[in-house]
Amino acid sequence: MMTPEAARELARKVVALTHADEAEVLVAAESSALTRFANNRINQNVAEDNALVNVRAVMGTRIGVASTNRLDDASLAACCEAAVAAARIAPEDPSFPGLPLPEPVIEAVRASASVREFDAEARARAVAAIIEPSRARGLTAAGKVRVGTHVVAIANSHGIDVGMEVTGVQATVLSMGATGSGWASYLSQGTEEFDPAAIGEEAADLAVRSANPTDLDPGTYPVVLGPEAVADIMDFLGFMGFSAKAYEEGRSFLSNELESQVMREWVNIVDDAISPHAMGLTFDYEGVPKMRVSLIEEGVALRPVTDSYWAHKSGFINSGHALPAPNSFGPLPLNLEMMPGDETLEQLIGRVKYGVYVTRFHYVNVEDPVPVTLTGMTRDGTFLIEDGKLTRPLKNLRFTQSAVEALYELEALTTERKFVGTEEGATLVPGVMLSAFTFTGQTT
Amino acid sequence: MDELTRWGDSLKEVIEAALEAARLAGADYADARVVDSSREELEVASGRVEAVERSDSFGLGVRVLAQGAWGFSASREVTVAEAVRVARRAVGIAKASALVSGEPVRLSALEAARGTWAGPCEIDPFTVPLEDKLALLTAAEEALRAEPKVTVTKAHCGFYRERKWFGSSEGAFTEQSWFESGAGIVALAIEDGEVVTRSYPNSHGGGWKQAGYEYVRDLDLVGNAARVAAQAAELLTAPECESGTVDLIIDGSQMGLQVHESIGHPTELDRVLGEEAAFAGTSWVKAQDVGTLVYGSEHVTVTADSTVDGSLGSFGWDDEGVPAQRDEIVSRGILTGLLTSRETAGTIGRTSNGCMRADGWNRIPLVRMTTVSLEPGTWDFDDLVADTGEGLYIETNNSWSIDDKRLNFQFACEVGWEIKGGKLGRMVKMPNYTGMTPEFWASCDAVCSADHWQVWGLNNCGKGEPMQVAHVAHGAAPTRFRGVSVGVGR
């Protein structure tokens, strides 16, 4: 596995090889392993070593990009030539501001040696511990234990020269009975506090409680969403609404709504890659330090995130949210956080007279981009709430609901929050209670 | 098989070294794949070139069975020495898998494959000058922007080339190569916080085929741009699709996705057996349903065919060395087959029908769709609209969602037209529809003829962990369903 120092050296070397007016090189190396299980046994078990060099060449304001995973000198030279050749034929882009300039690096440790030591046997032992609570209850478990080490380095011809290592361990478990299922997950930088038996127990317990689900008529109900369900909503808000490109093109709910109350006053959303608890890179894929950006403050829309191009175009300062070039998505927030409230999940449920508890969603997609109208299913633990208590499991429900409008109905949040996603893009979310959420169907 | 790597070892030597190292380390079965792929993407959006990109990837993956369990390891270094290391690691991983194993994995019988296969290609797209491709996209994108209400535009094309060498411990050695070409245009009309979209020839990446540049050239992006832009502008003032129950005619492209989500995925035997439960989900279909389950009406016949010329789902052999073939999955409404692998096929008493494919050298093969098609019926489209009398016709997918058993689905399309008095009438925006898979397919009472049938390439089918993206295809024609719930959530 390449070290951050070696990756930076390689990036600098390839910048020098690129005969262009400006050049930017991204080196991304990965060593990862994933053990998958289903039907209470390991069914897939894989490991991979890879490294990629991505070259952005600029000729005047013409831009070309090429990448390769062949790192011998001849292949690297060919990659640089391909990027330059692409730049030569591209038309001028008068709005291109030039590649970014160096800024002070934000130092942070985002890697743990424990991940590298978590080998195939350790993963198998973890899987066995995850499965056991399901097996003991006559349930079947499926899921994964994944470990990954990523080294990312970026250099450009203006002197940007950054690199860091990021590690992560992720585990998921679905526990299934004949009629019900439960889910639990874990995500962390290292394996030190990873307790596989605990997530196995959590999922199995939920599966038992979800057995023999019942019907609920479609309609609008108060809901309590567990953190995994909230993370889905946050991710779609990020993808559809928080990018300066979507904002500038009028495709975002922020467009024409800055300084307006777009959500309930209890809603505070930031993107923060630099807090002590954050995971992932502290710089973006242009090598620019990531800023902590307050996107929604007390329900008021403040700003989208930017990269160098969309900062120049929109007038917002560059918040350091570039994706690898070429990037037609625009900047994206990869470290979203919904700030916590001061209640427990039980207190949220206690607020509901008659409503629905959702553990997580499945296969969510966007029907209408500006209000972020989503449709999807509930999964692995949906319960009726009556008089402040979970009373019976429900068959999975289909929802069709604007995410923005849903957060206008937010009543309370939990103190406790959870990371959902991967170490490269982790969303930190509490559970929430919404006074209205629309379910439009149910499965059998 | 005598092609040399950049390090001087021949690919055959690399593959043989991997297989031998796996055997010596204790593998009962091993296969090794070397994949060399190149991709080129160009995109012009809203008057700006957003991407001119070329990417290459090369590497080796080794899959082994040891002590009855699977292991896989992959590396971007394709040398004899690295092949030995990777193979040994794969066996070590398999032995770790065996610590938490069930019944030993058994592979259904297979005659060792040997030979070469190449997909069709008239014009190697990587030899067409970038200038020519950009000129085409720029012209199409400018034609979209001629409509003032269209404020965001996109024209893109992409090209993919893959060469793959496969060997197994059972004596298989194959070499395959093909090109894929694709392109599309998208017009967004945005006004007062509302966004409407029209795409050609399809949404979510445009049209794709196993073909050369001739496919992109013949799509006539420029010639279709004015119509696409005008429809996007018209959608801004069109009424929303009303909520209700209607007789629904779905166009071929959306039918392709409907087949994909509610027939293709639920008939993947690994899903049926619970092997994908935690991520993609399971299936409402049971392995023992083959031969008896009523999947839909008598008008519903579905094939899985990896021999369709020029289709994204075609090959010579799958990634287990099983030869390409055509298999009927649903015959006049009855489930007659499933998509299988060598490991899963035995559970239904069959041999593999060749659906195992991997997304590159660093992924294991999974059960994937090939060209899964709703076979054509007999109707002319105009006759079908006339026969429907009152109803709704919809085109081009906008959004899709389906539950973890592939039962409850909801799709939204870009555009619809009311059917009044047997003719297409007023345009409606953002039509969506919902249903339950068996009831929906039971309500199918008409499929248009081969004159209206075409294969739709789809290069974004996600499955597995780590995520794999498969390139698949679906033949479909406009199809009618009775009594469908539309305008959901309005």
Side-chain angles (χ1 to χ4, degrees), chain A residues 268-325:
Chain A
N268 293 281
I269 299 175
V270 302
D271 187 83
D272 187 359
I274 57 177
S275 76
H277 60 246
M279 302 180 72
L281 300 172
T282 57
F283 52 81
D284 72 3
Y285 288 96
E286 292 180 317
V288 173
K290 291 187 173 187
M291 281 175 50
R292 181 184 192 275
V293 181
S294 189
L295 301 158
I296 305 287
E297 190 170 287
E298 296 183 348
V300 175
L302 292 187
R303 62 161 290 180
V305 297
T306 52
D307 56 18
S308 64
Y309 179 85
W310 287 99
H312 178 71
K313 190 103 169 168
S314 67
F316 294 102
I317 61 171
N318 186 357
S319 61
H321 287 83
L323 298 183

Side-chain angles (χ1 to χ4, degrees), chain A residues 34 36 38-51 54 63-72 74-75 86 89-91 93 120-121 124 127-128 131 142-144 174 176 183 245 249-251 309 325-328 360 362-363 365-370 375-377 379 396 398 400 440-444, chain B residues 6 36 43 48-58 70-76 85 89 93 96-97 99-102 130-131 134 152 188 190 193 195 261 273-281 343 361-364 366 398-404 406-410 412 430 432 436 464-466 488-490:
Chain A
L34 191 150
R36 259 186 129 185
N39 296 312
N40 289 347
R41 72 182 218 290
I42 292 174
N43 64 335
Q44 294 169 15
N45 207 344
V46 302
E48 172 191 359
D49 295 317
N50 199 5
N54 193 66
I63 300 163
V65 177
S67 66
T68 184
N69 75 339
R70 302 190 199 212
L71 306 188
D72 58 285
S75 297
I89 62 96
D93 181 357
E121 284 195 20
V127 167
I131 288 173
K144 67 165 183 270
L174 168 72
M176 293 186 295
W183 173 265
K245 183 179 186 191
E249 292 181 346
R251 296 184 286 112
Y309 179 85
N327 170 23
S328 58
R360 70 171 184 136
H362 173 78
Y363 218 133
N365 212 329
V366 182
E367 288 210 342
D368 194 356
V370 176
T375 188
M377 299 295 298
R379 188 178 170 182
N396 289 328
R398 173 167 294 287
T400 306
T440 52
Q442 191 167 35
T443 196
T444 54
Chain B
R6 285 188 181 275
D36 181 8
E43 181 167 312
R48 174 183 178 232
V49 175
E50 289 209 328
V52 182
E53 182 190 24
R54 167 75 183 262
S55 57
D56 300 304
S57 185
F58 185 52
W70 286 115
F72 177 83
S73 180
S75 172
R76 62 175 186 80
R85 187 190 74 84
R89 183 165 70 160
I93 289 171
S97 298
L99 298 173
V100 191
S101 63
L130 287 170
E131 292 92 327
L134 267 183
V152 175
L188 274 68
I190 303 173
V195 178
E261 301 289 1
L273 297 174
E275 299 293 305
E276 289 287 329
F279 185 63
E343 180 182 358
W361 56 268
N362 53 351
R363 297 288 181 267
I364 55 169
L366 300 173
N398 188 43
S399 170
W400 66 101
S401 172
I402 189 163
D403 75 21
D404 57 309
R406 300 274 148 177
L407 278 168
N408 181 308
F409 61 79
Q410 184 162 311
M430 287 190 244
N432 65 3
M436 297 289 282
E465 295 179 292
V488 186
R490 302 289 150 72

Side-chain angles (χ1 to χ4, degrees), chain A residues 334-403:
Chain A
L334 299 177
N335 297 83
L336 282 172
E337 286 189 34
M338 182 178 282
M339 305 312 282
D342 56 5
E343 299 193 17
T344 65
L345 202 57
E346 289 69 29
Q347 286 173 312
L348 297 193
I349 293 167
R351 285 170 168 262
V352 178
K353 176 81 176 158
Y354 189 84
V356 178
Y357 176 80
V358 177
T359 298
R360 70 171 184 136
F361 294 130
H362 173 78
Y363 218 133
V364 180
N365 212 329
V366 182
E367 288 210 342
D368 194 356
V370 176
V372 196
T373 300
L374 306 173
T375 188
M377 299 295 298
T378 67
R379 188 178 170 182
D380 307 327
T382 307
F383 294 92
L384 186 69
I385 306 171
E386 292 175 288
D387 295 324
K389 294 191 184 327
L390 303 184
T391 53
R392 57 185 167 93
L394 297 172
K395 293 173 184 170
N396 289 328
L397 295 159
R398 173 167 294 287
F399 69 93
T400 306
Q401 170 69 54
S402 157

